[in-house]
Amino acid sequence: MILRIFFVSALVIWLLTGCTKKFKYNRTDEIPATAWQYVRYNQQGQAAIPAEYKGGLNVKWETGSPESPIGPPSLGAGMLIHSGSKGKLFFYSLSNHKFLGRLKIRGASQAGVVTVDSLAYLAVGPSRNHLVCLNLFNQKPLWRASLKDVTGQPIILENRLYVGSAGGDLHCLDRLTGEEIWRKKMPAKSLAGPSLNDSLVYFPCDNGELRCFNALTGDSVFTTDLRQPLLSKAAVGDRIYISGADGGFFAIDKLNGQVVWKSHFDWPIWTSPAVDDSAVYIADNGGIVRALNKRDGALLWEFKTGGVVIASPIVVGDFLLLASLDRFVYCLNKRTGIMNSRRELKSEIRFPLVSDGRGIYAVAHDGSIFCFGD
Amino acid sequence: MNHYFSANRKKATVLLPMVLAVAFISLALVAEPAYSQFYFGKNKVQYTDFDWQVMETEHFRIFFYPEEEELAKIAARISEDSYRELASRFKLEIYNPIPLIIYSSPNYFSQTNVTPTLLPESVGGFTEFLKGRVVVPFHGSYYDFEHVLRHELVHVFTLSKLESVMSKQRYFRMAPPPLWFIEGLAECWSTNWDSEADMILKDMVLSGRLFTIDRFYEISGTYFMYKLGQSVCQFISDEYGTDKLILIFENWWKGDDFDEIVEMTLGEPLREVSRKWEYALKKRYFPQIADAGLASYETEKLTRSGYALKGVPIMLNDGKLSGEWIVFKANKLGYSGIYMMPPAGEATKLHTLLKGERSASFESLHLLQSGIDANNRGLVLFSSKSEENDVLYLYSIHQRKIIQRFELAGLATISSPRFSPAGDKAVFSAAGKSGIVDIYLLEFTGGELKMLTDDFYNDVDPAFSLDGDTVLFASDRCLEGEKGAINIFKMALDGGKPIPLTSGEWRDISPEPSPSGLYFASDRDGAFNIYRLNEDRSVVKITSLLTGAYDPRITPDGKSLVFSGYQDFGFHIYRTAIIDTSIYAREETPAYISSWRPGMLDSRKVKSSVQYQTDYSFDIAQSAISYDPVYGSIGGLQVALSDMLGDNAFYFLLTNTAESKDDFFSSFNVAVTYINKKKRLNWGIGAYHFYDEYYNDYEGYYFERQVGGLGHLTYPLSKFNRVEATTFLRYSDKDSWILGYRRRAPLISNYFSVISDNSIWDISGPIEGHRYNITVGSTYALDEGRVFNRIGLVDLRHYLRLGRYSAYASRLFAYSSSGVEPQRNYFGGSWSFRGFSRRAFYNRNILFTSNELRFPLIDNLVVGFPFGGIGFQGIRGALFVDAGSAWDNDFDRFLGSFGAGFRVALANVIVLRFDFSRTTDFEKISKSTDFDFFFGWNF
């Protein structure tokens, strides 16, 4: 009997404390520079990183997470961070590929995590419904702001944080205290969240309006009605590039909101574009990825995958990378659209790939985590 | 005797193995499981032997038989095209091949074993949830076929999407979206808003009887629900954004109920969506009444009750029926039939010519799908499903009987027959096993059958020209036919190409030639109305009704028109004088174009096409089915396996009744049953071992071990009648520790039953028709070579319809068993002898009769609570008188009971029965009123 009690107690203790590792970040650790701080690389949402990548999709390392991803993975503070379906964040070292631990956030973080220095910002959805700033050193929340159903990743400009919430409000918060600086009521909510460029915040709304505000004052700069739901994040380069759920794709003057050119495709587009110096890249629900001339929207090339694409494409060096629900990861030459390599996975990838320039990271639906590279 | 028992002692009768085994078999064999009460039920008859093949494409496994190979390739193309579009809409890929089972005719489709349920004729296809199978029949129209396929595939994607969202969130919500949303979305994403859908909504809006979303449950499962659901989904897409419908699924894990998820997604509560939708419909439809009218105001309504349509005016010249009549089809309350009324309408006189849908000869009159014809000689021509295929009937009004029956070899379906002017021939549309609908000509004398069209187009609604030399018909062989258009053509009887008479992107149907021109129904103006094509090719609009006019037929004097009109939720027969209005349009002489062909899947995309091999997969795996204080634990672990077509099934049962560790290995109850339903003769075999302690009121407690096997045969004579035979061969070891005896015997039991059921059901039980079961059986002790027991059972039930929801129901039940160990039965309680306790009697002879008046009590009852209201629909009342007796050796006396009760149907799944009764020995009446509450349908 004593032995039985002992073993049961040991099992309970192990289950409660030992079977998973709680994330800890030593104060002595050097916080490395972040190469892909946002889900779409930078706060402009360009999703294009210069790199010496040669287009390989070899698995450099692979590990598994106990939870399916519920939001896009992020790179920050030298770590790959992914939010799991049971309310936890999982941390993996980019330098030695080791699992660093997990943190309970008791809710779904659909928008992904942004890390700045030692602070991580993430929205926790139903039923918690708040935006939280976590101190990675002590894993304690620095502040919490009550925000409902945030699906778009926050962006940060100096000490300000911009995020959209259910009902369509665009909030500007002090990123160190969580205090609200200004708030704008929108006609509809934004699934994708804001983008930022040169002190202007671009906020695509679900009712088809793209709104632009002065990041400091919150004053409205322009509103452009694109007449179809805007579900993806705007990519801001020389212009604003944004796709519509009815198959429209728009290039918009980033200062006055005038539509410079637009295209229409057969399938809805729920993914965000990637933009680099030479072209803008989009993928649609029909599984077709296209490169368009930034100047006039002319089709440069197109490539058809075997399934729906819901994970936005990214550019790494000279290559365009994307995952399709056909369970393949594709690496295309970004100039020609010719497939350089592809890799089949056991489970599909539903969230965008991320890259720090040295590797391409993906979290599959079954919780498998991959680092691809040459 | 009145015995209620505590549940801590298990009890059983000697019938236990039979009950268990038959319960097993019943699971698989008896149709209409939800409605078959005990041993009744209609039959799903496997008339046709299908040689199933399997075609594998990128995303589908298509099951077809060789005669429909072309159709399978068309289905493959439609399915793959639809898959890509739906994958895009749902943002989802489905990784396992989707099983798609194609039938070339609704008559074959009705035989499918994928679902045990009898399929009403209105079912256009279904998606089954256990194995994700999609089952679709072909009705002749490729456009409609594509619509149904896409509709079912939307269901497949809906289920997969919900599963995907749940699995992503590791969250499981038991309640799916409401049915109106599921079906409305499937309609919204599978077809365009058409004139029929518009007719339904327009009728509701203009009559002020539009169902708001919170009342959709009142029309759950009906065609109205489909169309209202489609309208709401379209409204959400148009008003709130095309992304919103799919976002409702994406947000499925975020809310506690559908209303909350809708509010989260649309930013407004569902009641506000409903209010805006209603307002939008009013804005759309109200202005239309300025230019058009409603049938009951603009024309003369001739029929009143139920549904009535396909009216044919005739003039009878001899006999007591001389004069003008209108012959028509109708479903007045339950069964469809053929009726006849004078021109003034059915209120003045109504003759019932033929009662359909009660016998194998007239299994279905295809009320909506097929027209009828009648002529001045008093003959009526119509088609009906009769067993496997449709049959053409010639009925004499004067003789009041069928005078000729044409079983046409190779034709599965027959629709809309018409007499030739001389009355010696008929034209009709029909399809063989390939499913393709063509026009046929039949000589009544000699029965010669000639195929007039022979191509893949859908040729329907034929009619002879006035001179009888050409046939006019509607067909999708027009330019826009692929998109659903139907135009009118004519073709010489002696051959030649069909020549188009009308053309356009609309539907022109039901041609009716007359000296003044060609009348037809068309939705060219939005709603179906009657038009006339004149000799000079000008078109005159005869009716201008908002909610639809169909099936035009000219009265004998040529001055008025009889037609089927839709209004107030149903079809009725109307008459209108023919008043020429201004020329509506002029028909361009169309070029003869029939260049379109239904696309087939590129053969390079077909991975394989092979003979179907039986492959089993799980249907059910569950624990603890039920516990009964008499029959013990009928449950434990139950597993059911079946093949993709549902023709073969295995059922496994495993329980353990040990009460101590020592008994564990000897107390397993195991049963295995195999059922084969591939052919008309359904059969099953099984083996079982049962051991338990049982109880009955005659012998007290005893142990019994039974090891044996069973064989079961069911042969459906028709949809309504069947014979059954069951044999049990078992070794029985019975140990009565109270009476102190032990009996071991090898026993063989044989049972034979004749069963009939043509009943129609209201929400609380049968309301019209009859049901009966006559069973005889005997058990022999093989070692002694003598009869062990015999049983005889007669259960007759008859339901006389008195009104829409009222009926007089009567039942006569007789049971007798004899022999050394007779099978006694419990008797009494809510399902048998009311006023007496359940199992009040336990005897070997029972004679019993029950009479009940069933009537509607409350249509809609909403009980309000602080947290919301609970609604009950269709509360029914009953007045009953029961009389009977149960005895062993000497008949004692009759007892009786009488009382009243009410029944509450819950979600069409279960009925709560409340009975208040008093008993009598026919000398005095008990002073106390017995209250009985139980679950179950009326007898």
Side-chain angles (χ1 to χ4, degrees):
Chain A
M1 181 55 106
I2 294 170
L3 270 177
R4 193 177 293 177
I5 292 170
F6 172 78
F7 280 120
V8 170
S9 306
L11 181 65
V12 170
I13 292 167
W14 181 77
L15 282 171
L16 290 175
T17 61
C19 66
T20 54
K21 181 178 169 184
K22 189 170 181 185
F23 172 70
K24 280 186 180 168
Y25 205 83
N26 293 325
R27 283 185 180 278
T28 54
D29 287 348
E30 183 187 346
I31 300 175
T34 304
W36 193 283
Q37 189 179 359
Y38 296 91
V39 168
R40 303 301 292 157
Y41 174 52
N42 54 15
Q43 56 192 11
Q44 285 84 9
Q46 292 171 327
I49 184 170
E52 295 297 316
Y53 173 56
K54 294 189 173 58
L57 282 176
N58 299 313
V59 178
K60 293 172 76 176
W61 56 269
E62 179 183 352
T63 185
S65 164
E67 294 183 19
S68 290
I70 198 166
S74 308
L75 301 180
M79 297 178 291
L80 168 73
I81 308 168
H82 99 81
S83 52
S85 55
K86 291 182 183 170
K88 297 188 195 78
L89 285 182
F90 296 89
F91 298 84
Y92 300 85
S93 166
L94 292 178
S95 57
N96 61 15
H97 324 144
K98 283 187 178 167
F99 176 53
L100 298 174
R102 52 107 183 97
L103 264 184
K104 276 188 186 173
I105 54 172
R106 300 180 193 281
S109 176
Q110 306 166 76
V113 179
V114 185
T115 52
V116 181
D117 304 326
S118 61
L119 299 178
Y121 299 89
L122 66 145
V124 183
S127 57
R128 297 271 157 182
N129 288 319
H130 57 227
L131 183 75
V132 61
C133 171
L134 276 176
N135 184 338
L136 292 174
F137 283 127
N138 61 11
Q139 301 89 48
K140 300 262 196 258
L142 191 64
W143 52 262
R144 280 196 187 96
S146 182
L147 291 176
K148 195 175 178 188
D149 201 15
V150 174
T151 53
Q153 195 182 33
I155 53 170
I156 288 166
L157 176 64
E158 297 172 350
N159 282 341
R160 294 183 176 206
L161 179 145
Y162 304 88
V163 69
S165 65
D169 288 0
L170 174 62
H171 304 260
C172 172
L173 308 178
D174 185 312
R175 82 172 180 93
L176 297 176
T177 64
E179 287 175 11
E180 189 170 284
I181 299 170
W182 54 258
R183 172 161 49 159
K184 293 291 167 188
K185 182 76 184 162
M186 298 290 151
K189 71 186 290 187
S190 169
L191 284 182
S195 303
L196 189 68
N197 188 62
D198 292 340
S199 299
L200 293 177
V201 184
Y202 302 98
F203 196 62
C205 294
D206 214 357
N207 70 339
E209 289 184 11
L210 176 69
R211 295 204 167 195
C212 175
F213 299 93
N214 184 306
L216 295 176
T217 62
D219 294 338
S220 176
V221 177
F222 65 79
T223 297
T224 301
D225 188 358
L226 298 174
R227 297 177 186 279
Q228 55 187 290
L230 304 175
L231 308 176
S232 61
K233 204 175 180 77
V236 189
D238 53 336
R239 291 173 179 139
I240 307 161
Y241 300 97
I242 192 161
S243 45
D246 294 346
F249 187 77
F250 305 88
I252 295 162
D253 188 298
K254 61 185 179 182
L255 295 177
N256 60 24
Q258 294 292 313
V259 175
V260 181
W261 56 259
K262 62 182 175 184
S263 298
H264 183 81
F265 302 104
D266 291 340
W267 303 98
I269 308 173
W270 286 55
T271 60
S272 302
V275 61
D276 68 5
D277 293 341
S278 55
V280 57
Y281 309 90
I282 50 171
D284 65 23
N285 286 12
I288 301 169
V289 57
R290 298 179 177 87
L292 305 180
N293 188 315
K294 285 165 56 178
R295 185 167 47 84
D296 55 8
L299 180 68
L300 299 175
W301 54 258
E302 70 177 27
F303 177 87
K304 183 153 178 41
T305 72
V308 175
V309 177
I310 57 173
S312 304
I314 65 170
V315 175
V316 180
D318 290 333
F319 298 93
L320 184 79
L321 289 122
L322 76 154
S324 166
L325 291 188
D326 63 5
R327 293 179 170 165
F328 279 95
V329 176
Y330 294 88
C331 176
L332 312 177
N333 183 308
K334 74 174 186 181
R335 292 191 174 78
T336 63
I338 295 169
M339 186 171 70
N340 190 67
S341 57
R342 68 173 186 174
R343 176 163 292 275
E344 187 173 12
L345 306 177
K346 285 181 187 167
S347 178
E348 72 275 19
I349 291 173
R350 299 180 179 186
F351 296 104
L353 309 172
V354 289
S355 175
D356 60 356
R358 295 189 291 274
I360 291 111
Y361 306 93
V363 184
H365 182 60
D366 64 358
S368 302
I369 298 173
F370 299 92
C371 173
F372 302 111
D374 295 323
Chain B
M1 285 187 298
N2 187 354
H3 295 277
Y4 276 104
F5 311 106
S6 60
N8 61 346
R9 299 297 296 175
K10 287 177 279 181
K11 305 166 187 181
T13 68
V14 291
L15 287 170
L16 176 68
M18 180 183 168
V19 169
L20 282 173
V22 171
F24 252 31
I25 293 167
S26 307
L27 275 176
L29 285 185
V30 178
E32 290 191 290
Y35 290 116
S36 62
Q37 186 178 311
F38 197 23
Y39 40 44
F40 294 112
K42 293 174 192 160
N43 312 305
K44 182 172 280 189
V45 190
Q46 308 302 312
Y47 295 110
T48 315
D49 192 9
F50 299 107
D51 177 20
W52 287 103
Q53 313 286 312
V54 186
M55 181 193 297
E56 293 220 24
T57 67
E58 188 180 358
H59 299 101
F60 295 88
R61 287 185 77 206
I62 299 171
F63 298 78
F64 66 100
Y65 37 90
E67 295 87 347
E68 56 168 8
E69 187 171 356
E70 276 201 353
L71 194 60
K73 289 178 181 169
I74 293 166
R77 192 268 305 163
I78 294 169
S79 303
E80 286 294 348
D81 288 353
S82 301
Y83 176 93
R84 190 43 53 210
E85 187 184 328
L86 293 173
S88 160
R89 281 187 188 271
F90 280 90
K91 303 196 319 170
L92 182 77
E93 294 286 340
I94 296 174
Y95 299 108
N96 294 320
I98 301 165
L100 176 59
I101 299 162
I102 304 291
Y103 288 91
S104 58
S105 152
N107 286 353
Y108 298 140
F109 171 65
S110 67
Q111 300 176 37
T112 186
N113 281 324
V114 172
T115 174
T117 312
L118 277 180
L119 295 166
E121 211 167 70
S122 55
V123 174
F126 65 89
T127 300
E128 172 272 344
F129 299 140
L130 288 173
K131 292 183 168 71
R133 292 169 284 190
V134 174
V135 190
V136 174
F138 180 65
H139 284 77
S141 160
Y142 301 97
Y143 180 78
D144 292 342
F145 188 51
E146 181 163 353
H147 165 206
V148 176
L149 267 173
R150 286 171 64 91
H151 177 105
E152 300 305 331
L153 290 177
V154 174
H155 287 325
V156 173
F157 272 88
T158 299
L159 291 171
S160 298
K161 184 71 183 179
L162 288 172
E163 188 188 336
S164 164
V165 172
M166 301 293 190
S167 70
K168 188 169 79 172
Q169 318 301 348
R170 293 287 192 271
Y171 178 79
F172 187 74
R173 180 195 307 286
M174 284 297 290
L179 190 60
W180 70 260
F181 181 73
I182 290 179
E183 296 296 353
L185 181 74
E187 283 293 279
C188 187
W189 283 356
S190 64
T191 187
N192 297 321
W193 188 253
D194 60 17
S195 51
E196 269 95 6
D198 215 42
M199 172 180 88
I200 299 277
L201 257 79
K202 215 183 284 181
D203 180 51
M204 286 187 185
V205 172
L206 295 178
S207 66
R209 292 195 285 174
L210 180 69
F211 289 84
T212 49
I213 294 176
D214 62 329
R215 289 180 57 221
F216 278 5
Y217 68 89
E218 293 177 29
I219 47 168
S220 185
T222 63
Y223 185 70
F224 301 125
M225 182 204 72
Y226 280 62
K227 290 296 146 188
L228 291 180
Q230 179 184 358
S231 175
V232 172
C233 288
Q234 193 60 54
F235 178 76
I236 289 173
S237 188
D238 293 344
E239 291 299 312
Y240 294 88
T242 50
D243 57 320
K244 293 301 182 293
L245 291 171
I246 204 64
L247 282 175
I248 287 174
F249 292 108
E250 300 276 0
N251 290 335
W252 192 242
W253 59 284
K254 294 182 182 174
D256 289 330
D257 55 44
F258 183 71
D259 288 18
E260 186 183 344
I261 293 161
V262 167
E263 185 169 356
M264 184 183 297
T265 309
L266 306 185
E268 288 183 331
L270 198 55
R271 64 175 180 280
E272 184 63 16
V273 176
S274 180
R275 203 182 62 77
K276 287 184 174 176
W277 166 71
E278 191 179 355
Y279 180 63
L281 290 178
K282 285 175 179 172
K283 283 194 79 167
R284 188 198 304 171
Y285 291 131
F286 278 172
Q288 294 184 17
I289 206 158
D291 302 320
L294 294 170
S296 63
Y297 295 98
E298 307 289 334
T299 65
E300 186 185 358
K301 189 177 180 182
L302 303 181
T303 54
R304 300 283 163 196
S305 63
Y307 279 73
L309 61 172
K310 315 283 184 190
V312 185
I314 55 170
M315 177 68 81
L316 297 179
N317 295 318
D318 55 313
K320 60 181 180 181
L321 293 172
S322 284
E324 194 180 334
W325 295 90
I326 296 167
V327 179
F328 62 100
K329 286 164 92 173
N331 188 322
K332 298 232 155 258
L333 278 181
Y335 306 106
S336 295
I338 298 177
Y339 300 84
M340 188 169 81
M341 65 182 170
E346 69 177 11
T348 52
K349 183 82 180 170
L350 180 68
H351 290 283
T352 302
L353 300 182
L354 186 115
K355 294 178 177 178
E357 301 177 1
R358 299 160 211 240
S359 63
S361 296
F362 311 111
E363 200 176 294
S364 167
L365 295 179
H366 309 308
L367 182 69
L368 295 171
Q369 292 87 349
S370 175
I372 59 171
D373 201 10
N375 63 19
N376 296 344
R377 290 156 56 194
L379 296 175
V380 181
L381 185 62
F382 66 96
S383 70
S384 169
K385 183 172 188 290
S386 176
E387 301 197 331
E388 180 179 10
N389 296 319
D390 284 355
V391 169
L392 202 60
Y393 287 101
L394 205 50
Y395 175 91
S396 167
I397 294 172
H398 298 298
Q399 299 176 48
R400 291 295 171 99
K401 67 174 188 182
I402 299 290
I403 57 170
Q404 227 169 338
R405 182 180 197 266
F406 299 96
E407 273 188 64
L408 303 170
L411 297 185
T413 58
I414 298 173
S415 285
S416 302
R418 291 288 292 264
F419 283 114
S420 64
D424 58 339
K425 293 190 277 280
V427 284
F428 52 85
S429 60
K433 210 169 179 180
S434 69
I436 296 169
V437 177
D438 283 298
I439 304 292
Y440 289 79
L441 175 73
L442 175 73
E443 302 264 1
F444 290 136
T445 312
E448 188 189 341
L449 184 68
K450 185 181 174 187
M451 194 177 188
L452 296 181
T453 61
D454 183 10
D455 48 36
F456 58 86
Y457 297 114
N458 185 31
D459 302 322
V460 294
D461 293 348
F464 283 96
S465 60
L466 294 178
D467 58 11
D469 292 337
T470 58
V471 61
L472 309 159
F473 61 97
S475 175
D476 61 1
R477 60 182 66 233
C478 46
L479 184 62
E480 301 291 336
E482 198 171 9
K483 297 175 184 168
I486 300 172
N487 292 158
I488 304 220
F489 294 77
K490 71 174 181 182
M491 191 173 77
L493 284 184
D494 52 6
K497 283 184 173 179
I499 298 165
L501 295 178
T502 65
S503 68
E505 300 173 6
W506 43 73
R507 288 178 289 176
D508 299 333
I509 56 174
S510 308
E512 165 77 350
S514 80
S516 55
L518 175 67
Y519 290 86
F520 59 97
S522 174
D523 67 352
R524 56 183 63 198
D525 207 10
F528 268 100
N529 269 296
I530 312 295
Y531 296 81
R532 189 182 67 222
L533 176 65
N534 295 326
E535 196 72 27
D536 62 358
R537 304 202 56 77
S538 61
V539 176
V540 178
K541 190 173 184 179
I542 304 297
T543 64
S544 190
L545 302 177
L546 282 167
T547 54
Y550 301 80
D551 310 321
R553 299 299 288 261
I554 302 299
T555 54
D557 63 6
K559 292 179 180 171
S560 57
L561 193 72
V562 169
F563 63 94
S564 313
Y566 181 85
Q567 196 190 327
D568 296 335
F569 296 72
F571 282 100
H572 279 285
I573 298 192
Y574 296 84
R575 190 173 59 183
T576 184
I578 298 171
I579 301 166
D580 276 8
T581 56
S582 56
I583 302 296
Y584 171 79
R586 195 164 290 280
E587 277 288 337
E588 298 294 323
T589 305
Y592 177 68
I593 298 168
S594 60
S595 56
W596 72 271
R597 292 189 66 89
M600 297 183 195
L601 190 70
D602 189 333
S603 56
R604 287 168 299 182
K605 293 183 177 175
V606 176
K607 290 182 181 173
S608 65
S609 189
V610 295
Q611 186 87 17
Y612 170 68
Q613 301 290 326
T614 307
D615 54 342
Y616 291 94
S617 57
F618 280 108
D619 285 338
I620 317 169
Q622 65 180 33
S623 59
I625 302 163
S626 66
Y627 179 83
D628 186 286
V630 168
Y631 298 127
S633 57
I634 307 174
L637 174 69
Q638 189 190 31
V639 174
L641 296 169
S642 69
D643 70 328
M644 195 54 83
L645 296 170
D647 292 340
N648 303 274
F650 282 98
Y651 297 86
F652 300 92
L653 176 73
L654 179 67
T655 64
N656 193 295
T657 52
E659 293 183 354
S660 69
K661 274 196 290 187
D662 296 339
D663 293 339
F664 183 75
F665 288 106
S666 62
S667 300
F668 272 108
N669 288 278
V670 185
V672 181
T673 309
Y674 167 75
I675 301 292
N676 186 302
K677 297 188 286 184
K678 186 169 171 51
K679 295 184 185 295
R680 184 168 185 169
L681 177 67
N682 291 187
W683 58 274
I685 53 171
Y688 58 88
H689 169 266
F690 294 122
Y691 176 73
D692 206 347
E693 184 185 19
Y694 305 114
Y695 175 91
N696 67 49
D697 287 355
Y698 190 76
E699 298 166 295
Y701 293 104
Y702 63 90
F703 289 97
E704 186 169 13
R705 181 182 305 282
Q706 302 194 62
V707 184
L710 65 92
H712 184 87
L713 298 174
T714 296
Y715 188 80
L717 303 168
S718 68
K719 179 181 176 183
F720 308 106
N721 305 315
R722 69 174 178 272
V723 291
E724 290 184 357
T726 309
T727 293
F728 296 89
L729 178 63
R730 65 190 187 276
Y731 177 78
S732 167
D733 181 355
K734 187 172 175 182
D735 186 359
S736 175
W737 51 274
I738 290 179
L739 298 179
Y741 83 94
R742 184 165 188 176
R743 184 265 291 143
R744 294 173 176 143
L747 303 172
I748 184 165
S749 302
N750 299 297
Y751 300 94
F752 180 78
S753 302
V754 179
I755 297 161
S756 180
D757 186 341
N758 71 356
S759 57
I760 291 178
W761 287 57
D762 180 32
I763 52 174
S764 61
I767 198 164
E768 191 170 356
H770 74 257
R771 300 195 289 172
Y772 65 76
N773 182 323
I774 300 169
T775 297
V776 292
S778 63
T779 300
Y780 292 88
L782 292 174
D783 54 345
E784 299 173 10
R786 63 173 179 143
V787 176
F788 202 64
N789 64 47
R790 296 186 187 91
I791 68 151
L793 178 150
V794 175
D795 192 347
L796 311 174
R797 306 178 187 194
H798 186 258
Y799 312 97
L800 179 65
R801 190 75 168 261
L802 301 175
R804 189 177 181 83
Y805 298 122
S806 56
Y808 167 70
S810 58
R811 179 188 184 191
L812 176 67
F813 180 85
Y815 174 83
S816 181
S817 179
S818 60
V820 293
E821 207 170 288
Q823 294 184 15
R824 289 178 171 79
N825 263 352
Y826 282 104
F827 179 57
S830 176
W831 267 0
S832 52
F833 206 167
R834 287 163 286 198
F836 295 90
S837 308
R838 197 164 158 245
R839 295 172 185 148
F841 308 93
Y842 183 65
N843 296 93
R844 64 185 187 84
N845 296 301
I846 298 169
L847 186 60
F848 170 71
T849 180
S850 190
N851 296 273
E852 186 170 290
L853 184 65
R854 297 168 182 170
F855 52 88
L857 209 59
I858 298 172
D859 245 10
N860 196 356
L861 175 69
V862 179
V863 183
F865 292 101
F867 51 83
I870 297 176
F872 302 93
Q873 278 78 52
I875 298 175
R876 303 283 187 257
L879 296 173
F880 56 84
V881 177
D882 297 343
S885 182
W887 69 98
D888 269 348
N889 296 318
D890 299 317
F891 176 79
D892 184 11
R893 57 179 176 163
F894 275 110
L895 297 172
S897 67
F898 62 92
F902 61 94
R903 290 85 177 87
V904 181
L906 296 180
N908 237 1
V909 175
I910 198 164
V911 176
L912 310 181
R913 298 154 54 85
F914 304 86
D915 287 325
F916 300 87
S917 55
R918 289 196 175 190
T919 57
T920 175
D921 58 1
F922 295 104
E923 289 180 0
K924 59 180 186 297
I925 297 169
S926 64
K927 289 181 179 170
S928 65
T929 300
D930 180 80
F931 169 69
D932 206 357
F933 165 72
F934 208 69
F935 300 92
W937 282 276
N938 287 325
F939 71 80

